[in-house]
Amino acid sequence: MSRVLPCVSLGLLVLLALEVSSLPLQDEPIDPRIVGGYETDVALCPYQLSLRRKAITAPQNAFSHVCGASIIAEDIAITAAHCISATVPSQWKVVAGTNYRNETDGVIVSVSQIIMHEQYYKEARYDNDVALLVLNPSLPLNNHNIKAIPLASEPPLAGAMSKISGWGTTTYRGSSSYVLLAVDVPIVSNEVCDADYEDYEDGLFNITSSMLCAGVRGVGGKDACQGDSGGPLVVNRQLAGVVSWGAECALAEYPGVYANVPNLRPWIDAKLAEITLLRKKLN
Ligand code: ARG
């Protein structure tokens, strides 16, 4: 008896050690989430969407959360171009009105069209990181937890408080949140942000006018992270940014970077007008 037990526990220990050592491998590809935030309710950010993707080479796999997005009209969502690049509409489901990353409550609709910014990556890495999704059927907006958010028309001032939400990881390379999280982070000017990123990766990353930054400079601890991409950055109840990229997450030295919605308005408005025109012709 006393000889067998240590054997069993040793075996268990070895198994446990193997389990633990295999954990970092599961983190790839990196999946970022809200860092330093608080639990919220979709009724408080009713524009928040979860984008779920199915791998086309493994059609038996379930749809799973990869990015956030925001409702801007009953049948239009806005997300990050990097979330949907090299995919087709049939790979996606869009979930509205849910608090959970991997539940099937809420309203689930399909994507009929992906409109990606033609100048994505043009002048810099992640330049113009924005895309529109046409939803089919339309979302029921007569719902307290499913609502469109107006687009900001002026870039927010440095220091303005923004609210970012999503189901992304709660630490860099950590695990994703099961419930919807939000965090309040001040806007950082493009000039300051560009200077902050000068010493990052040999200055390979530039902050262009299609971008917007938010972070607690010198302190860190609050940020979007992997899995939050494509989701909303809201200032004064208007959509001012789309989660795009950052150096790791919540570092004191590097703010989070967002697609700059007000500066991308000419493109967004032109695409919305095209969609409306096309629809009139078809009807
Ligand atoms: N690219 C990430 C995503 O796909 C979002 C990164 C945001 N990072 C940050 N530090 N703010 O989910």
Side-chain angles (χ1 to χ4, degrees):
M1 249 303 215
S2 54
R3 290 216 175 142
V4 173
L5 260 184
C7 236
V8 170
S9 35
L10 244 185
L12 270 177
L13 266 180
V14 169
L15 266 179
L16 269 176
L18 280 175
E19 271 292 296
V20 170
S21 63
S22 70
L23 278 180
L25 288 177
Q26 295 175 349
D27 284 337
E28 292 170 34
I30 300 152
D31 167 36
R33 293 164 206 198
I34 296 287
V35 180
Y38 49 88
E39 207 173 304
T40 186
D41 190 286
V42 71
L44 299 175
C45 19
Y47 43 81
Q48 175 81 49
L49 296 171
S50 162
L51 295 188
R52 315 260 176 107
R53 191 181 61 199
K54 180 147 116 171
I56 40 176
T57 51
Q60 73 277 15
N61 291 349
F63 286 89
S64 61
H65 175 95
V66 286
C67 273
S70 303
I71 307 171
I72 60 170
E74 60 173 4
D75 63 342
I76 313 277
I78 189 167
T79 188
H82 82 260
C83 288
I84 52 88
S85 71
T87 68
V88 293
S90 59
Q91 270 174 280
W92 295 99
K93 291 286 182 203
V94 175
V95 187
T98 183
N99 280 310
Y100 308 108
R101 178 172 46 89
N102 48 11
E103 297 293 338
T104 51
D105 64 328
V107 170
I108 307 177
V109 297
S110 298
V111 173
S112 60
Q113 198 189 345
I114 293 173
I115 304 166
M116 162 115 173
H117 199 296
E118 296 81 357
Q119 268 86 50
Y120 172 52
Y121 251 80
K122 187 70 183 277
E123 306 282 333
R125 293 181 171 214
Y126 295 106
D127 202 15
N128 303 305
D129 191 8
V130 79
L132 299 177
L133 306 177
V134 181
L135 309 177
N136 185 32
S138 293
L139 293 167
L141 296 186
N142 57 348
N143 194 309
H144 73 288
N145 51 17
I146 304 179
K147 285 194 180 120
I149 183 162
L151 301 173
S153 44
E154 296 293 332
L157 297 175
M161 206 36 104
S162 75
K163 175 175 159 181
I164 309 148
S165 46
W167 291 273
T169 59
T170 51
T171 57
Y172 179 59
R173 298 199 170 205
S175 56
S176 297
S177 180
Y178 172 66
V179 293
L180 184 60
L181 300 180
V183 64
D184 302 318
V185 187
I187 300 294
V188 173
S189 78
N190 280 35
E191 293 68 28
V192 168
C193 190
D194 193 47
D196 284 345
Y197 271 98
E198 232 148 68
D199 65 353
Y200 180 68
E201 301 269 320
D202 297 325
L204 223 56
F205 290 82
N206 292 311
I207 306 301
T208 70
S209 59
S210 83
M211 302 176 195
L212 178 78
C213 299
V216 193
R217 290 184 72 251
V219 178
K222 293 182 178 190
D223 198 3
C225 207
Q226 271 65 30
D228 292 319
S229 276
L233 175 144
V234 173
V235 179
N236 293 329
R237 294 162 190 255
Q238 298 184 327
L239 188 73
V242 172
V243 179
S244 179
W245 63 277
E248 300 189 9
C249 300
L251 296 179
E253 300 82 8
Y254 303 103
V257 189
Y258 300 79
N260 190 322
V261 168
N263 285 353
L264 288 162
R265 274 299 284 280
W267 181 86
I268 299 169
D269 292 344
K271 294 296 172 185
L272 291 177
E274 261 178 50
I275 296 168
T276 312
L277 199 68
L278 201 66
R279 201 161 286 152
K280 273 193 193 136
K281 278 188 191 157
L282 291 175
N283 285 340

